[in-house]
Amino acid sequence: PNALQLFSKAERFKSCGRDVRQGMATGDNFRFLRLYWEIPSEHLGCTKRWVNYAKGGDYSPFYRDVELVIDWMNDGEVVKSLAAELYGSESRTIKSQDCYFRPGLTFTIYTVKGFNIRPLPAGCVFDVAGSSVFLDRFDEDYMFYILGFLSSPVFQYFISALSDDRKWQVGLIQVVPWAEPDASTLSTVSALARQAYRKAREMRMLDETDHAFLGFQGFSLTLAATNTAIEKALSDANIELTDSWLEITNLVSELYGLDAERLFRKAVFDNSTNGEAKIACNPLDSGIEWLGNSDLVGRTLSWTMGCIVGRFDLGTALKSKTKPRLSAPFDALPICPPGMLQGPDGFPAKPEEVPA
């Protein structure tokens, strides 16, 4: 079947408990938004003044940290008051309030590399630039299946039939054709999307600002050996992520009766110049950029100083402690990354709690 036939016969994505919702606009980002590490930990959390805020960001399929927070004191009283003052009603710009703090999927509304989407943890407010997908009744396996479908060239094929301006409007995603998967396809694609999520997150674990930061755990103490090990770990994770993405493409293409090889070739050469392959929605473009020894020196020095002053947990990195548990994909984000030195309450350790 071609795209026109699928659009005319299949049900729409927005149906049967699936929905795509537009996020809010603050009206003054400089006033209301901060990076989460700029705020004292005791003021972070969905019951505190500053709550996590998903605002799109760079191209990053399957995983991206939520690094921003919004001033949401008294249920966003000041933000809503400004909206009412500017536009006559808070609902003009404070959209989808019934979906705030719910787990879902969030995507960057404008990119040049293609549509990309990742889990939205519970406890977040979301921006118009980070509009999001929700289920009436949350089901983690089903949500991961949706993540796989929306990350595939199959979806890119559908959305490109509606728009070629690289701006992924909520209304366009709502009307994309949806084919309900059988139990086997759902289970397999869901597992592959989980694997892709885990591998995408692994590539961020050396970024000390990420909520998944573990520290330089288990690496050699020599610079050359550590750099080699990190490069291999990043490469292996990228290969496994891409393998999962390709298998998802095969399974979803089969479900829709489409030619997976043709769709993949289109993805590879989409927007190519002079015949040079350029993958439009390729996980190979995700992950942190690793710059070799010079980058490693800077990151290691920063982490070492953090250990000295009691910010990071040297014991965890040297494996003298049990490897900390990372939060589940749709759980609320932790106050502290697992590689940070923490007290028994989960907040940054106080001086009296740091081992001598």
Side-chain angles (χ1 to χ4, degrees):
N2 59 34
L4 182 60
Q5 291 172 323
L6 289 167
F7 271 99
S8 63
K9 294 180 180 179
E11 67 179 82
R12 300 292 181 254
F13 180 81
K14 184 183 177 180
S15 60
C16 300
R18 299 176 300 272
D19 201 1
V20 190
R21 302 293 290 272
Q22 186 180 47
M24 64 169 283
T26 69
D28 191 340
N29 288 341
F30 185 80
R31 177 181 178 186
F32 295 118
L33 301 185
R34 298 290 184 271
L35 295 163
Y36 83 88
W37 57 85
E38 296 180 288
I39 304 299
S41 300
E42 60 270 22
H43 299 308
L44 296 172
C46 57
T47 61
K48 304 295 179 64
R49 175 175 178 176
W50 296 89
V51 304
N52 296 112
Y53 190 71
K55 198 180 186 302
D58 295 337
Y59 181 85
S60 186
F62 292 107
Y63 174 81
R64 179 183 171 84
D65 192 27
V66 180
E67 71 272 19
L68 291 174
V69 290
I70 184 171
D71 185 351
W72 205 246
M73 186 168 59
N74 296 330
D75 194 37
E77 179 181 9
V78 180
V79 182
K80 294 175 182 178
S81 294
L82 178 62
E85 177 185 334
L86 293 175
Y87 306 107
S89 169
E90 68 178 58
S91 63
R92 289 283 301 277
T93 55
I94 314 298
K95 306 283 189 180
S96 305
Q97 293 186 51
D98 58 313
C99 292
Y100 294 172
F101 308 112
R102 290 171 54 189
L105 302 172
T106 186
F107 57 92
T108 302
I109 199 169
Y110 180 83
T111 65
V112 296
K113 292 184 178 180
F115 184 84
N116 62 112
I117 190 165
R118 52 266 179 187
L120 174 70
C124 295
V125 175
F126 57 100
D127 189 87
V128 62
S131 294
S132 300
V133 174
F134 297 97
L135 294 172
D136 285 352
R137 295 184 178 180
F138 182 78
D139 180 304
E140 187 168 302
D141 288 339
Y142 198 78
M143 191 64 89
F144 266 113
Y145 175 82
I146 294 174
L147 174 62
F149 164 66
L150 295 178
S151 299
S152 72
V154 176
F155 173 77
Q156 193 73 42
Y157 170 65
F158 290 143
I159 199 72
S160 296
L162 298 172
S163 172
D164 61 357
D165 62 2
R166 301 299 187 184
K167 190 169 184 180
W168 318 111
Q169 299 283 10
V170 164
L172 300 181
I173 300 168
Q174 290 174 340
V175 301
V176 161
W178 174 261
E180 190 66 23
D182 58 68
S184 176
T185 301
L186 190 152
S187 176
T188 304
V189 171
S190 177
L192 289 165
R194 286 176 190 270
Q195 173 75 351
Y197 165 83
R198 286 193 294 266
K199 293 305 173 181
R201 183 167 64 172
E202 281 182 19
M203 291 188 287
R204 301 281 181 168
M205 287 181 182
L206 294 177
D207 180 354
E208 66 181 50
T209 66
D210 198 285
H211 280 95
F213 177 66
L214 281 174
F216 290 83
Q217 185 173 25
F219 291 117
S220 169
L221 294 180
T222 67
L223 185 66
T226 298
N227 188 57
T228 299
I230 291 173
E231 287 181 335
K232 184 178 186 306
L234 291 174
S235 176
D236 289 348
N238 232 344
I239 290 170
E240 291 183 51
L241 190 160
T242 305
D243 286 346
S244 296
W245 179 70
L246 292 172
E247 185 59 28
I248 288 169
T249 299
N250 288 330
L251 291 167
V252 176
S253 298
E254 183 179 348
L255 182 66
Y256 281 88
L258 298 171
D259 185 340
E261 184 177 350
R262 181 184 175 191
L263 288 175
F264 179 67
R265 284 201 306 270
K266 176 175 170 54
V268 169
F269 289 97
D270 191 27
N271 293 334
S272 62
T273 56
N274 301 322
E276 182 180 352
K278 178 181 178 182
I279 298 180
C281 46
N282 178 19
L284 286 171
D285 285 332
S286 65
I288 60 174
E289 183 178 8
W290 191 253
L291 303 178
N293 284 346
S294 60
D295 193 23
L296 176 61
V297 169
R299 291 176 186 270
T300 304
L301 285 175
S302 178
W303 173 74
T304 302
M305 287 302 300
C307 291
I308 291 171
V309 301
R311 176 175 177 80
F312 298 126
D313 191 344
L314 181 62
T316 297
L318 297 180
K319 292 190 174 181
S320 60
K321 290 184 178 180
T322 303
K323 184 177 179 179
R325 174 185 173 274
L326 293 171
S327 59
F330 297 103
D331 285 353
L333 293 168
I335 298 297
C336 302
M340 183 175 285
L341 191 62
Q342 301 174 33
D345 56 2
F347 285 88
K350 302 179 178 65
E352 61 271 18
E353 295 170 338
V354 177

